[in-house]
mmCIF file of all heavy atoms in Angstrom:
data_model
loop_
_atom_site.group_PDB
_atom_site.id
_atom_site.type_symbol
_atom_site.label_atom_id
_atom_site.label_comp_id
_atom_site.label_asym_id
_atom_site.label_seq_id
_atom_site.Cartn_x
_atom_site.Cartn_y
_atom_site.Cartn_z
ATOM 1 N N GLU A 649 0.836 -1.202 0.000
ATOM 2 C CA GLU A 649 0.000 0.000 0.000
ATOM 3 C C GLU A 649 0.873 1.257 0.000
ATOM 4 O O GLU A 649 0.597 2.227 -0.723
ATOM 5 C CB GLU A 649 -0.931 -0.002 1.210
ATOM 6 C CG GLU A 649 -1.901 1.158 1.210
ATOM 7 C CD GLU A 649 -2.862 1.099 2.385
ATOM 8 O OE1 GLU A 649 -2.385 1.084 3.550
ATOM 9 O OE2 GLU A 649 -4.082 1.081 2.139
ATOM 10 N N ALA A 650 1.950 1.253 0.768
ATOM 11 C CA ALA A 650 2.844 2.413 0.839
ATOM 12 C C ALA A 650 3.504 2.711 -0.503
ATOM 13 O O ALA A 650 3.716 3.882 -0.847
ATOM 14 C CB ALA A 650 3.906 2.191 1.918
ATOM 15 N N ILE A 651 3.829 1.673 -1.263
ATOM 16 C CA ILE A 651 4.411 1.861 -2.598
ATOM 17 C C ILE A 651 3.478 2.723 -3.450
ATOM 18 O O ILE A 651 3.907 3.663 -4.117
ATOM 19 C CB ILE A 651 4.681 0.503 -3.281
ATOM 20 C CG1 ILE A 651 5.841 -0.215 -2.594
ATOM 21 C CG2 ILE A 651 4.945 0.676 -4.771
ATOM 22 C CD1 ILE A 651 6.005 -1.680 -3.019
ATOM 23 N N PHE A 652 2.198 2.402 -3.413
ATOM 24 C CA PHE A 652 1.228 3.130 -4.237
ATOM 25 C C PHE A 652 0.851 4.476 -3.627
ATOM 26 O O PHE A 652 0.532 5.417 -4.348
ATOM 27 C CB PHE A 652 0.014 2.246 -4.518
ATOM 28 C CG PHE A 652 0.364 1.106 -5.426
ATOM 29 C CD1 PHE A 652 0.705 -0.133 -4.911
ATOM 30 C CD2 PHE A 652 0.409 1.289 -6.802
ATOM 31 C CE1 PHE A 652 1.069 -1.178 -5.745
ATOM 32 C CE2 PHE A 652 0.778 0.250 -7.644
ATOM 33 C CZ PHE A 652 1.114 -0.979 -7.123
ATOM 34 N N LYS A 653 0.905 4.595 -2.300
ATOM 35 C CA LYS A 653 0.631 5.891 -1.660
ATOM 36 C C LYS A 653 1.700 6.915 -2.006
ATOM 37 O O LYS A 653 1.419 8.111 -2.013
ATOM 38 C CB LYS A 653 0.526 5.730 -0.146
ATOM 39 C CG LYS A 653 -0.799 5.198 0.300
ATOM 40 C CD LYS A 653 -0.895 5.206 1.810
ATOM 41 C CE LYS A 653 -2.285 4.792 2.198
ATOM 42 N NZ LYS A 653 -2.856 5.640 3.216
ATOM 43 N N ARG A 654 2.914 6.465 -2.278
ATOM 44 C CA ARG A 654 3.962 7.404 -2.691
ATOM 45 C C ARG A 654 3.599 8.055 -4.027
ATOM 46 O O ARG A 654 3.989 9.176 -4.308
ATOM 47 C CB ARG A 654 5.313 6.698 -2.791
ATOM 48 C CG ARG A 654 5.932 6.422 -1.435
ATOM 49 C CD ARG A 654 7.386 6.011 -1.530
ATOM 50 N NE ARG A 654 7.607 4.735 -2.170
ATOM 51 C CZ ARG A 654 7.713 3.568 -1.536
ATOM 52 N NH1 ARG A 654 7.607 3.514 -0.231
ATOM 53 N NH2 ARG A 654 7.930 2.460 -2.207
ATOM 54 N N GLN A 655 2.842 7.339 -4.854
ATOM 55 C CA GLN A 655 2.420 7.872 -6.148
ATOM 56 C C GLN A 655 1.144 8.693 -6.029
ATOM 57 O O GLN A 655 0.974 9.681 -6.742
ATOM 58 C CB GLN A 655 2.217 6.731 -7.139
ATOM 59 C CG GLN A 655 3.480 5.951 -7.422
ATOM 60 C CD GLN A 655 3.194 4.711 -8.251
ATOM 61 O OE1 GLN A 655 2.213 4.644 -8.980
ATOM 62 N NE2 GLN A 655 4.065 3.725 -8.141
ATOM 63 N N ALA A 656 0.233 8.244 -5.155
ATOM 64 C CA ALA A 656 -1.046 8.931 -4.952
ATOM 65 C C ALA A 656 -1.421 8.782 -3.474
ATOM 66 O O ALA A 656 -1.876 7.713 -3.060
ATOM 67 C CB ALA A 656 -2.127 8.338 -5.851
ATOM 68 N N PRO A 657 -1.206 9.807 -2.678
ATOM 69 C CA PRO A 657 -1.342 9.711 -1.226
ATOM 70 C C PRO A 657 -2.693 9.228 -0.703
ATOM 71 O O PRO A 657 -2.759 8.677 0.385
ATOM 72 C CB PRO A 657 -1.062 11.137 -0.748
ATOM 73 C CG PRO A 657 -0.208 11.719 -1.814
ATOM 74 C CD PRO A 657 -0.709 11.108 -3.090
ATOM 75 N N ASN A 658 -3.760 9.402 -1.451
ATOM 76 C CA ASN A 658 -5.073 8.977 -0.945
ATOM 77 C C ASN A 658 -5.433 7.549 -1.359
ATOM 78 O O ASN A 658 -6.581 7.141 -1.234
ATOM 79 C CB ASN A 658 -6.158 9.966 -1.363
ATOM 80 C CG ASN A 658 -6.303 10.063 -2.871
ATOM 81 O OD1 ASN A 658 -5.426 9.646 -3.613
ATOM 82 N ND2 ASN A 658 -7.408 10.618 -3.321
ATOM 83 N N THR A 659 -4.470 6.765 -1.796
ATOM 84 C CA THR A 659 -4.707 5.374 -2.186
ATOM 85 C C THR A 659 -4.956 4.513 -0.951
ATOM 86 O O THR A 659 -4.293 4.662 0.073
ATOM 87 C CB THR A 659 -3.491 4.831 -2.964
ATOM 88 O OG1 THR A 659 -3.327 5.615 -4.145
ATOM 89 C CG2 THR A 659 -3.670 3.373 -3.344
ATOM 90 N N LYS A 660 -5.901 3.605 -1.081
ATOM 91 C CA LYS A 660 -6.221 2.671 0.003
ATOM 92 C C LYS A 660 -6.310 1.263 -0.576
ATOM 93 O O LYS A 660 -6.955 1.050 -1.603
ATOM 94 C CB LYS A 660 -7.547 3.047 0.654
ATOM 95 C CG LYS A 660 -7.948 2.119 1.766
ATOM 96 C CD LYS A 660 -9.265 2.520 2.380
ATOM 97 C CE LYS A 660 -9.644 1.535 3.464
ATOM 98 N NZ LYS A 660 -10.958 1.815 4.010
ATOM 99 N N MET A 661 -5.657 0.299 0.083
ATOM 100 C CA MET A 661 -5.746 -1.089 -0.353
ATOM 101 C C MET A 661 -7.042 -1.690 0.182
ATOM 102 O O MET A 661 -7.352 -1.572 1.365
ATOM 103 C CB MET A 661 -4.547 -1.900 0.125
ATOM 104 C CG MET A 661 -4.574 -3.317 -0.427
ATOM 105 S SD MET A 661 -3.101 -4.266 -0.040
ATOM 106 C CE MET A 661 -1.892 -3.400 -1.006
ATOM 107 N N LEU A 662 -7.790 -2.330 -0.707
ATOM 108 C CA LEU A 662 -9.058 -2.949 -0.333
ATOM 109 C C LEU A 662 -8.930 -4.451 -0.129
ATOM 110 O O LEU A 662 -9.620 -5.036 0.709
ATOM 111 C CB LEU A 662 -10.112 -2.677 -1.405
ATOM 112 C CG LEU A 662 -10.395 -1.218 -1.719
ATOM 113 C CD1 LEU A 662 -11.381 -1.109 -2.874
ATOM 114 C CD2 LEU A 662 -10.909 -0.497 -0.479
ATOM 115 N N SER A 663 -8.062 -5.087 -0.945
ATOM 116 C CA SER A 663 -7.887 -6.540 -0.833
ATOM 117 C C SER A 663 -6.496 -6.917 -1.316
ATOM 118 O O SER A 663 -5.879 -6.197 -2.100
ATOM 119 C CB SER A 663 -8.949 -7.291 -1.645
ATOM 120 O OG SER A 663 -8.774 -7.045 -3.028
ATOM 121 N N PHE A 664 -6.025 -8.070 -0.830
ATOM 122 C CA PHE A 664 -4.720 -8.577 -1.237
ATOM 123 C C PHE A 664 -4.743 -10.091 -1.119
ATOM 124 O O PHE A 664 -5.134 -10.627 -0.088
ATOM 125 C CB PHE A 664 -3.604 -8.008 -0.354
ATOM 126 C CG PHE A 664 -2.238 -8.329 -0.873
ATOM 127 C CD1 PHE A 664 -1.606 -7.482 -1.759
ATOM 128 C CD2 PHE A 664 -1.600 -9.502 -0.488
ATOM 129 C CE1 PHE A 664 -0.346 -7.781 -2.257
ATOM 130 C CE2 PHE A 664 -0.348 -9.811 -0.985
ATOM 131 C CZ PHE A 664 0.283 -8.949 -1.868
ATOM 132 N N GLU A 665 -4.304 -10.781 -2.192
ATOM 133 C CA GLU A 665 -4.298 -12.248 -2.200
ATOM 134 C C GLU A 665 -3.039 -12.752 -2.892
ATOM 135 O O GLU A 665 -2.712 -12.332 -4.002
ATOM 136 C CB GLU A 665 -5.519 -12.778 -2.957
ATOM 137 C CG GLU A 665 -5.530 -14.281 -3.095
ATOM 138 C CD GLU A 665 -6.697 -14.795 -3.914
ATOM 139 O OE1 GLU A 665 -7.285 -14.019 -4.697
ATOM 140 O OE2 GLU A 665 -7.016 -15.996 -3.774
ATOM 141 N N ILE A 666 -2.338 -13.670 -2.228
ATOM 142 C CA ILE A 666 -1.224 -14.384 -2.861
ATOM 143 C C ILE A 666 -1.843 -15.505 -3.687
ATOM 144 O O ILE A 666 -2.651 -16.293 -3.184
ATOM 145 C CB ILE A 666 -0.257 -14.955 -1.808
ATOM 146 C CG1 ILE A 666 0.400 -13.829 -1.015
ATOM 147 C CG2 ILE A 666 0.782 -15.862 -2.461
ATOM 148 C CD1 ILE A 666 1.343 -12.950 -1.809
ATOM 149 N N THR A 667 -1.470 -15.583 -4.971
ATOM 150 C CA THR A 667 -2.126 -16.533 -5.886
ATOM 151 C C THR A 667 -1.223 -17.672 -6.344
ATOM 152 O O THR A 667 -1.676 -18.525 -7.099
ATOM 153 C CB THR A 667 -2.663 -15.783 -7.122
ATOM 154 O OG1 THR A 667 -1.592 -15.095 -7.764
ATOM 155 C CG2 THR A 667 -3.761 -14.800 -6.715
ATOM 156 N N SER A 668 0.032 -17.696 -5.913
ATOM 157 C CA SER A 668 0.917 -18.801 -6.282
ATOM 158 C C SER A 668 1.693 -19.257 -5.063
ATOM 159 O O SER A 668 1.809 -18.524 -4.076
ATOM 160 C CB SER A 668 1.917 -18.369 -7.371
ATOM 161 O OG SER A 668 2.881 -17.484 -6.823
ATOM 162 N N ASP A 669 2.227 -20.453 -5.159
ATOM 163 C CA ASP A 669 3.169 -20.876 -4.133
ATOM 164 C C ASP A 669 4.405 -19.990 -4.264
ATOM 165 O O ASP A 669 4.788 -19.597 -5.372
ATOM 166 C CB ASP A 669 3.554 -22.344 -4.313
ATOM 167 C CG ASP A 669 2.402 -23.287 -3.995
ATOM 168 O OD1 ASP A 669 1.575 -22.944 -3.125
ATOM 169 O OD2 ASP A 669 2.330 -24.362 -4.613
ATOM 170 N N PRO A 670 5.041 -19.671 -3.142
ATOM 171 C CA PRO A 670 6.220 -18.805 -3.220
ATOM 172 C C PRO A 670 7.433 -19.548 -3.768
ATOM 173 O O PRO A 670 7.545 -20.767 -3.629
ATOM 174 C CB PRO A 670 6.451 -18.405 -1.761
ATOM 175 C CG PRO A 670 5.895 -19.549 -0.976
ATOM 176 C CD PRO A 670 4.712 -20.037 -1.768
ATOM 177 N N GLN A 671 8.314 -18.793 -4.392
ATOM 178 C CA GLN A 671 9.618 -19.310 -4.792
ATOM 179 C C GLN A 671 10.646 -18.633 -3.892
ATOM 180 O O GLN A 671 10.594 -17.417 -3.690
ATOM 181 C CB GLN A 671 9.898 -19.003 -6.261
ATOM 182 C CG GLN A 671 8.959 -19.736 -7.189
ATOM 183 C CD GLN A 671 9.270 -19.496 -8.655
ATOM 184 O OE1 GLN A 671 10.176 -18.754 -9.021
ATOM 185 N NE2 GLN A 671 8.491 -20.126 -9.514
ATOM 186 N N TRP A 672 11.569 -19.426 -3.352
ATOM 187 C CA TRP A 672 12.540 -18.945 -2.376
ATOM 188 C C TRP A 672 13.962 -19.147 -2.855
ATOM 189 O O TRP A 672 14.268 -20.145 -3.517
ATOM 190 C CB TRP A 672 12.396 -19.707 -1.060
ATOM 191 C CG TRP A 672 11.228 -19.278 -0.237
ATOM 192 C CD1 TRP A 672 9.965 -19.795 -0.283
ATOM 193 C CD2 TRP A 672 11.211 -18.267 0.759
ATOM 194 N NE1 TRP A 672 9.160 -19.149 0.618
ATOM 195 C CE2 TRP A 672 9.907 -18.205 1.281
ATOM 196 C CE3 TRP A 672 12.173 -17.394 1.261
ATOM 197 C CZ2 TRP A 672 9.535 -17.318 2.273
ATOM 198 C CZ3 TRP A 672 11.815 -16.505 2.256
ATOM 199 C CH2 TRP A 672 10.499 -16.473 2.754
ATOM 200 N N LEU A 673 14.831 -18.236 -2.496
ATOM 201 C CA LEU A 673 16.274 -18.397 -2.616
ATOM 202 C C LEU A 673 16.886 -17.934 -1.297
ATOM 203 O O LEU A 673 16.389 -16.988 -0.681
ATOM 204 C CB LEU A 673 16.852 -17.558 -3.758
ATOM 205 C CG LEU A 673 16.497 -17.985 -5.180
ATOM 206 C CD1 LEU A 673 17.075 -16.987 -6.187
ATOM 207 C CD2 LEU A 673 17.007 -19.386 -5.476
ATOM 208 N N THR A 674 17.934 -18.617 -0.861
ATOM 209 C CA THR A 674 18.623 -18.227 0.362
ATOM 210 C C THR A 674 20.127 -18.245 0.118
ATOM 211 O O THR A 674 20.610 -18.895 -0.803
ATOM 212 C CB THR A 674 18.294 -19.173 1.537
ATOM 213 O OG1 THR A 674 18.665 -20.498 1.182
ATOM 214 C CG2 THR A 674 16.820 -19.130 1.886
ATOM 215 N N GLY A 675 20.832 -17.549 0.954
ATOM 216 C CA GLY A 675 22.292 -17.543 0.919
ATOM 217 C C GLY A 675 22.818 -17.603 2.332
ATOM 218 O O GLY A 675 22.224 -17.065 3.264
ATOM 219 N N ASN A 676 23.934 -18.291 2.504
ATOM 220 C CA ASN A 676 24.501 -18.417 3.841
ATOM 221 C C ASN A 676 26.018 -18.341 3.788
ATOM 222 O O ASN A 676 26.611 -18.292 2.720
ATOM 223 C CB ASN A 676 24.036 -19.721 4.488
ATOM 224 C CG ASN A 676 24.309 -20.927 3.611
ATOM 225 O OD1 ASN A 676 25.367 -21.051 3.019
ATOM 226 N ND2 ASN A 676 23.342 -21.811 3.507
ATOM 227 N N ARG A 677 26.593 -18.305 4.971
ATOM 228 C CA ARG A 677 28.046 -18.355 5.087
ATOM 229 C C ARG A 677 28.395 -19.360 6.170
ATOM 230 O O ARG A 677 27.585 -19.657 7.039
ATOM 231 C CB ARG A 677 28.623 -16.977 5.390
ATOM 232 C CG ARG A 677 28.261 -16.419 6.731
ATOM 233 C CD ARG A 677 29.009 -15.113 7.026
ATOM 234 N NE ARG A 677 28.532 -14.503 8.236
ATOM 235 C CZ ARG A 677 28.852 -14.881 9.471
ATOM 236 N NH1 ARG A 677 29.667 -15.888 9.654
ATOM 237 N NH2 ARG A 677 28.344 -14.247 10.524
ATOM 238 N N LYS A 678 29.596 -19.833 6.103
ATOM 239 C CA LYS A 678 30.064 -20.807 7.078
ATOM 240 C C LYS A 678 30.421 -20.098 8.382
ATOM 241 O O LYS A 678 31.031 -19.021 8.369
ATOM 242 C CB LYS A 678 31.289 -21.531 6.517
ATOM 243 C CG LYS A 678 31.654 -22.771 7.239
ATOM 244 C CD LYS A 678 32.739 -23.511 6.480
ATOM 245 C CE LYS A 678 33.010 -24.829 7.137
ATOM 246 N NZ LYS A 678 33.956 -25.627 6.368
ATOM 247 N N SER A 679 30.042 -20.692 9.481
ATOM 248 C CA SER A 679 30.373 -20.146 10.787
ATOM 249 C C SER A 679 31.881 -20.232 11.010
ATOM 250 O O SER A 679 32.535 -21.179 10.575
ATOM 251 C CB SER A 679 29.635 -20.932 11.875
ATOM 252 O OG SER A 679 30.090 -20.547 13.149
ATOM 253 N N LYS A 680 32.452 -19.247 11.697
ATOM 254 C CA LYS A 680 33.889 -19.247 11.982
ATOM 255 C C LYS A 680 34.274 -20.301 13.008
ATOM 256 O O LYS A 680 35.400 -20.773 13.027
ATOM 257 C CB LYS A 680 34.322 -17.867 12.485
ATOM 258 C CG LYS A 680 34.198 -16.779 11.444
ATOM 259 C CD LYS A 680 34.574 -15.437 12.016
ATOM 260 C CE LYS A 680 34.363 -14.354 10.970
ATOM 261 N NZ LYS A 680 34.612 -13.020 11.518
ATOM 262 N N ASN A 681 33.334 -20.662 13.877
ATOM 263 C CA ASN A 681 33.638 -21.563 14.987
ATOM 264 C C ASN A 681 33.408 -23.040 14.708
ATOM 265 O O ASN A 681 33.920 -23.885 15.420
ATOM 266 C CB ASN A 681 32.829 -21.167 16.217
ATOM 267 C CG ASN A 681 33.130 -19.751 16.652
ATOM 268 O OD1 ASN A 681 34.255 -19.282 16.491
ATOM 269 N ND2 ASN A 681 32.141 -19.059 17.179
ATOM 270 N N ASN A 682 32.610 -23.360 13.706
ATOM 271 C CA ASN A 682 32.325 -24.766 13.416
ATOM 272 C C ASN A 682 31.861 -24.896 11.975
ATOM 273 O O ASN A 682 31.981 -23.961 11.191
ATOM 274 C CB ASN A 682 31.280 -25.319 14.403
ATOM 275 C CG ASN A 682 30.021 -24.480 14.434
ATOM 276 O OD1 ASN A 682 29.562 -24.010 13.412
ATOM 277 N ND2 ASN A 682 29.465 -24.294 15.627
ATOM 278 N N ASP A 683 31.329 -26.039 11.634
ATOM 279 C CA ASP A 683 30.885 -26.282 10.265
ATOM 280 C C ASP A 683 29.435 -25.878 10.005
ATOM 281 O O ASP A 683 28.883 -26.197 8.963
ATOM 282 C CB ASP A 683 31.065 -27.769 9.917
ATOM 283 C CG ASP A 683 32.525 -28.142 9.769
ATOM 284 O OD1 ASP A 683 33.340 -27.235 9.495
ATOM 285 O OD2 ASP A 683 32.849 -29.326 9.919
ATOM 286 N N ASN A 684 28.822 -25.194 10.956
ATOM 287 C CA ASN A 684 27.443 -24.748 10.762
ATOM 288 C C ASN A 684 27.377 -23.634 9.724
ATOM 289 O O ASN A 684 28.341 -22.901 9.514
ATOM 290 C CB ASN A 684 26.848 -24.244 12.076
ATOM 291 C CG ASN A 684 26.637 -25.359 13.068
ATOM 292 O OD1 ASN A 684 26.519 -26.517 12.705
ATOM 293 N ND2 ASN A 684 26.593 -25.002 14.335
ATOM 294 N N MET A 685 26.209 -23.513 9.120
ATOM 295 C CA MET A 685 25.965 -22.435 8.163
ATOM 296 C C MET A 685 25.071 -21.386 8.821
ATOM 297 O O MET A 685 24.181 -21.714 9.589
ATOM 298 C CB MET A 685 25.293 -22.989 6.896
ATOM 299 C CG MET A 685 26.109 -24.066 6.184
ATOM 300 S SD MET A 685 27.768 -23.559 5.747
ATOM 301 C CE MET A 685 27.458 -22.580 4.325
ATOM 302 N N ILE A 686 25.329 -20.127 8.499
ATOM 303 C CA ILE A 686 24.557 -19.014 9.044
ATOM 304 C C ILE A 686 23.824 -18.336 7.892
ATOM 305 O O ILE A 686 24.443 -17.929 6.907
ATOM 306 C CB ILE A 686 25.483 -18.002 9.748
ATOM 307 C CG1 ILE A 686 26.181 -18.682 10.927
ATOM 308 C CG2 ILE A 686 24.697 -16.777 10.192
ATOM 309 C CD1 ILE A 686 27.272 -17.832 11.556
ATOM 310 N N LEU A 687 22.506 -18.218 8.040
ATOM 311 C CA LEU A 687 21.689 -17.556 7.032
ATOM 312 C C LEU A 687 22.041 -16.068 6.994
ATOM 313 O O LEU A 687 22.020 -15.400 8.018
ATOM 314 C CB LEU A 687 20.207 -17.723 7.347
ATOM 315 C CG LEU A 687 19.237 -17.065 6.370
ATOM 316 C CD1 LEU A 687 19.219 -17.828 5.048
ATOM 317 C CD2 LEU A 687 17.847 -17.003 6.968
ATOM 318 N N VAL A 688 22.379 -15.560 5.817
ATOM 319 C CA VAL A 688 22.717 -14.143 5.697
ATOM 320 C C VAL A 688 21.794 -13.394 4.748
ATOM 321 O O VAL A 688 21.703 -12.177 4.803
ATOM 322 C CB VAL A 688 24.190 -13.931 5.270
ATOM 323 C CG1 VAL A 688 25.126 -14.418 6.355
ATOM 324 C CG2 VAL A 688 24.485 -14.595 3.948
ATOM 325 N N ARG A 689 21.115 -14.101 3.847
ATOM 326 C CA ARG A 689 20.206 -13.442 2.909
ATOM 327 C C ARG A 689 19.140 -14.436 2.472
ATOM 328 O O ARG A 689 19.357 -15.637 2.455
ATOM 329 C CB ARG A 689 20.938 -12.877 1.710
ATOM 330 C CG ARG A 689 21.647 -13.893 0.859
ATOM 331 C CD ARG A 689 22.455 -13.271 -0.280
ATOM 332 N NE ARG A 689 23.599 -12.558 0.228
ATOM 333 C CZ ARG A 689 23.737 -11.227 0.218
ATOM 334 N NH1 ARG A 689 22.839 -10.464 -0.327
ATOM 335 N NH2 ARG A 689 24.800 -10.651 0.712
ATOM 336 N N SER A 690 17.995 -13.886 2.113
ATOM 337 C CA SER A 690 16.906 -14.724 1.631
ATOM 338 C C SER A 690 15.963 -13.856 0.803
ATOM 339 O O SER A 690 15.892 -12.643 1.002
ATOM 340 C CB SER A 690 16.144 -15.343 2.803
ATOM 341 O OG SER A 690 15.137 -16.206 2.333
ATOM 342 N N GLY A 691 15.266 -14.490 -0.104
ATOM 343 C CA GLY A 691 14.299 -13.770 -0.902
ATOM 344 C C GLY A 691 13.152 -14.667 -1.320
ATOM 345 O O GLY A 691 13.328 -15.875 -1.508
ATOM 346 N N MET A 692 11.976 -14.077 -1.437
ATOM 347 C CA MET A 692 10.765 -14.795 -1.795
ATOM 348 C C MET A 692 10.041 -14.019 -2.889
ATOM 349 O O MET A 692 10.008 -12.789 -2.870
ATOM 350 C CB MET A 692 9.867 -14.892 -0.553
ATOM 351 C CG MET A 692 8.548 -15.618 -0.734
ATOM 352 S SD MET A 692 7.140 -14.693 -1.416
ATOM 353 C CE MET A 692 6.960 -13.316 -0.331
#
């Protein structure tokens, strides 16, 4: 809603629906202390 309010301040969202399963990507780095991985970035 804020994205569209920046273009037209009196905009109001009436409805919102996710229509697909999400697609995800993640990125990690190796921990300095052991072999564990630490999540550093993700996107959907």
Side-chain angles (χ1 to χ4, degrees):
E649 185 177 58
I651 290 169
F652 291 95
K653 281 186 175 226
R654 284 193 293 266
Q655 298 172 25
N658 62 343
T659 299
K660 179 180 178 185
M661 185 174 292
L662 302 176
S663 66
F664 189 90
E665 176 183 21
I666 296 293
T667 57
S668 71
D669 290 329
Q671 294 183 358
W672 283 90
L673 291 176
T674 59
N676 53 43
R677 67 173 173 78
K678 195 171 186 175
S679 172
K680 294 177 183 175
N681 301 327
N682 54 39
D683 289 337
N684 291 337
M685 301 304 282
I686 298 171
L687 180 72
V688 294
R689 62 184 69 250
S690 183
M692 180 277 304

